[in-house]
Each structure stands twice: as structure tokens, then as C-alpha cells.
Amino acid sequence: MKQVLRKILSSAIVLAAFACGKDPFPGGGESNLEPVPPPDTLVTPRPDTSTTKKFFFGVNGHPLNQEAYATLSSGEQMSLLKSLGMNIYRVDFTVTSQGKIIPKQRFEKLRLAADSADITILPMLPDAKLDYNGTEEIAYQQGYDRGYGFAQENGNYFTYYNIGNELDNDCILPKKSGKVAEHYDSKKFKIIAAHLKGMDEGIKAVDPTAQTMVNASWMHYKYLQMLEQYGINYDIVAYHWYGEMETMASSTYNINDITQFLSTQFSKPIWLTEINIRNRTGEVSDQVQRDLLNTIIGKCKENPRVHAVIIYELFNEPVFNSIESYYGLYDWEQPYKKYKPKLWAAEQERKIAGL
């Protein structure tokens, strides 16, 4: 039966491609590469038992690959998320060219803890090191292999996949806003688009029910529209929005609510997958962070088109000695053994505890 299902799915994909006249590499000529065929065993579709839209509220973390998280158990991280009233954890993965997780053992502990706490893990599946002087065909196959391998090994654990991260910044031209196609390097864009198309199609060859998202930031919404025009069937618009963007969008473009603006540009669900202030030296007050987070979270919850908002990030990371050091909702009193909540987290903990 599984073999028959695979043949039916493969035939349907081929017929759909001919019927729509889709070139798998729009603007890039014909491909000489054969995509890896769908596996004999597909991921079992997950039934949708929900009767209303689920709103995801969560935080980013780096439990699989960064020092600030290495001494914390997976269970302790999940307890912190629960204390903040959160139900999703966006996690960046390190993978091989075939999508195999490194280190697998740490992920298994994280997955079991998340399952026990009823917290969804949103994997950020990183892109390959792209060769912008290479071909779209090679970029596509690299993406397909990563997506296919990752979903084949882990597809039963995930519904949502964040494919690539902030690749809009790799192809935006200097001093351009990103509002029109001419603001992007077309050669780099096509390599990126081919790669993301491969990741999306590799994942969905294994799990046709998967929901993929691509992220952008600032005024780079045109980049996401260009990806749609290229033929990438991603499902969710993911957006990164920081404090200076909130201020500049209002003063420069009269955009006072990025969620409402994105709702006019896309028909897809919208997720804000990174929000916070820029605290470059650690001197910005916790009150500023608290106020911005509450403002943006409030806008997201009031907009029915927005299905998720995710703060960046759970812990400060002093090891970097850079802008990355101060994004956390929790600060270290003794790295990496004793921590304390910043103002927003402390107030949220009291709210969730009913105090």
C-alpha cells in the first residue's frame, strides 16, 4: 500500500507541474537534475482536531548549539516557557548536508521534554553555504537534500518548518529598503530562491501536510512576494521586527502596525518569529524592552491574520560580547549557573501565576 501511495503521489506531482506549466527554476533555464524521488514511507498525516485557530506565543532559544544553554536541562527550559505562558520554542538546528541533526542526542532530550510540557518546537532549518557564483540547479538540490533528509528523520515530530534564516539580507542591495524588486541582487536572489524551493519541496515530498515558512525583516516584504513569483509554495509569512524598525516604519512610511501592513500584502497566515529591542551595550533599560514587547504582542493578538509571535530570545549570551549578548528575557547572575528574570519576564511570571 505504501508503494502504491508513493506512485500515486509522484504521478499527481508530475501532472500538476505540467498542468500549471511551472518551470522548477523560473528565470533560470531548464534543470538537468532529477529531484530525489519521494520516499517509500511517507510521514503519517496528523489529523486536525482543532475547532479554533491556535495562537502560538513563545521564544527563541539555542539549546542545541550555544554555550549559554548547555548547562540547562531541557526540562528546566520547558518549565521557564510554561512559567511565561508560552507554547512554542523556536530552535535553530545544526544539520549535515543530508539534513541529519547534530547532536542528535541533545535534540532527543529536548523533544521529549517539549512533548511532556505540550510545547511545540519550531525548527529553524539552516540553509547550506550558498555559492552565489554557482547554479540554481545545484542550489536547489542542496536545499532538497537538506529538507528531504531532515523531514525523513524527524517529520513525525514537526508540523511547522522555518526554512532558512534572513536570507533576504544576503541579496538586498546596499542602502535599499527592499520594497521593490530592483532593490535586490537578482543573481543572488535566484540562488537563494532555488535553494528555498528545494528545501520546501524536499520536506513536502516526505510530509505533504508540512507547513513551511520563510522569514524576512524591515521593508523586505517584496523579497517574500518574489519568492512566491519564483514558484515557492511556502505556507506562512514569517517576519522579524525589532525596536528601531517599529520607530522608523512609523516615521518614514507611516506604518504604525507592521502586522496590519503585512495583512494587506499577503493572503498567507503571518507569524512574527523574532521581536525585541536592540540592546547593543546592555545599557537600554528593561522598561524599554518591557514596553516594546507588550506593544508588539498586543498588536499581534488583536490581528486575526497573525497566528504567532515569538520573542528573541530566552537568555542573554555574554559569551559573544556583542549585540547578541543582551537580547535575553533572563540575565545571568552567575554564568551559566544562576539566572534571574528581566522586567518583562518577571511581570509575565507573576501574571501567569495569578499573583
Side-chain angles (χ1 to χ4, degrees):
M1 177 60 73
K2 291 177 181 177
Q3 187 72 10
V4 172
L5 179 59
R6 182 185 69 81
K7 290 180 178 178
I8 292 172
L9 180 62
S10 299
S11 299
I13 292 170
V14 171
L15 288 173
F18 279 114
C20 298
K22 295 283 188 184
D23 179 353
F25 302 96
E30 295 182 359
S31 170
N32 294 320
L33 292 176
E34 292 283 339
V36 179
D40 287 337
T41 303
L42 298 174
V43 170
T44 303
R46 293 167 292 274
D48 182 5
T49 58
S50 64
T51 56
T52 59
K53 181 195 81 172
K54 182 172 184 178
F55 187 86
F56 287 106
F57 176 48
V59 69
N60 288 261
H62 311 282
L64 303 181
N65 50 30
Q66 291 191 16
E67 184 177 357
Y69 295 78
T71 60
L72 298 168
S73 71
S74 296
E76 186 173 3
Q77 292 175 63
M78 297 306 160
S79 293
L80 283 175
L81 266 69
K82 296 295 283 188
S83 75
L84 296 171
M86 293 176 170
N87 58 3
I88 192 166
Y89 198 19
R90 181 174 179 255
V91 174
D92 53 323
F93 282 70
T94 302
V95 300
T96 69
S97 62
Q98 300 300 311
K100 305 298 182 184
I101 296 173
I102 305 171
K104 181 71 171 179
Q105 296 85 349
R106 286 179 73 173
F107 166 64
E108 285 299 327
K109 292 179 181 179
L110 185 74
R111 179 183 68 79
L112 291 171
D115 286 348
S116 178
D118 194 26
I119 288 174
T120 297
I121 294 177
L122 171 61
M124 195 288 287
L125 181 59
D127 49 281
K129 185 174 176 57
L130 297 176
D131 179 4
Y132 290 118
N133 292 315
T135 67
E136 291 169 71
E137 291 84 357
I138 291 174
Y140 173 89
Q141 194 67 51
Q142 287 178 316
Y144 191 100
D145 291 345
R146 291 168 89 80
Y148 175 92
F150 188 81
Q152 185 182 41
E153 189 171 82
N154 307 290
N156 284 317
Y157 310 140
F158 301 126
T159 299
Y160 304 99
Y161 298 77
N162 182 171
I163 54 175
N165 190 53
E166 297 187 347
L167 289 171
D168 52 314
N169 292 327
D170 284 10
C171 60
I172 191 76
L173 294 172
K175 299 181 179 179
K176 300 297 183 181
S177 69
K179 295 177 68 177
V180 296
E182 290 74 21
H183 287 182
Y184 300 88
D185 182 313
S186 61
K187 184 176 181 180
K188 288 183 177 180
F189 170 78
K190 288 177 181 177
I191 295 295
I192 291 168
H195 191 63
L196 292 174
K197 184 176 175 68
M199 292 176 80
D200 178 77
E201 293 181 354
I203 290 168
K204 290 173 180 174
V206 178
D207 182 3
T209 67
Q211 297 280 295
T212 59
M213 64 189 72
V214 181
N215 57 42
S217 63
W218 185 222
M219 293 290 104
H220 300 178
Y221 59 90
K222 187 62 179 179
Y223 161 81
L224 296 176
Q225 294 170 343
M226 290 162 61
L227 293 178
E228 290 180 325
Q229 293 163 5
Y230 189 93
I232 303 173
N233 294 316
Y234 68 95
D235 303 283
I236 296 166
V237 168
Y239 229 71
H240 295 175
W241 199 247
Y242 286 86
E244 79 284 1
M245 299 176 188
E246 181 86 348
T247 302
M248 290 173 62
S250 178
S251 61
T252 306
Y253 299 109
N254 198 31
I255 296 174
N256 297 311
D257 185 343
I258 187 60
T259 73
Q260 291 294 340
F261 177 76
L262 292 174
S263 298
T264 69
Q265 300 296 316
F266 298 94
S267 59
K268 302 177 189 291
I270 298 165
W271 290 30
L272 264 61
T273 45
E274 289 187 18
I275 65 165
N276 211 326
I277 61 167
R278 306 282 194 193
N279 195 354
R280 298 181 185 277
T281 62
E283 296 176 353
V284 179
S285 73
D286 285 355
Q287 286 86 351
V288 173
Q289 182 189 50
R290 186 264 319 269
D291 292 346
L292 179 86
L293 292 178
N294 285 339
T295 295
I296 296 179
I297 291 167
K299 290 176 182 179
C300 289
K301 290 184 175 180
E302 290 172 4
N303 187 343
R305 292 286 310 285
V306 178
H307 293 195
V309 57
I310 305 175
I311 300 168
Y312 193 92
E313 64 181 314
L314 189 57
F315 283 99
N316 278 356
E317 298 193 80
V319 68
F320 288 111
N321 193 28
S322 69
I323 188 175
E324 191 78 6
S325 303
Y326 303 107
Y327 281 123
L329 296 178
Y330 291 85
D331 196 4
W332 295 100
E333 294 183 295
Q334 183 183 357
Y336 293 103
K337 297 178 181 178
K338 187 179 181 182
Y339 53 83
K340 63 179 180 181
K342 294 183 184 177
L343 181 59
W344 182 89
E347 291 183 354
Q348 185 71 4
E349 285 181 347
R350 290 195 292 269
K351 177 182 175 182
I352 297 303
L355 301 177

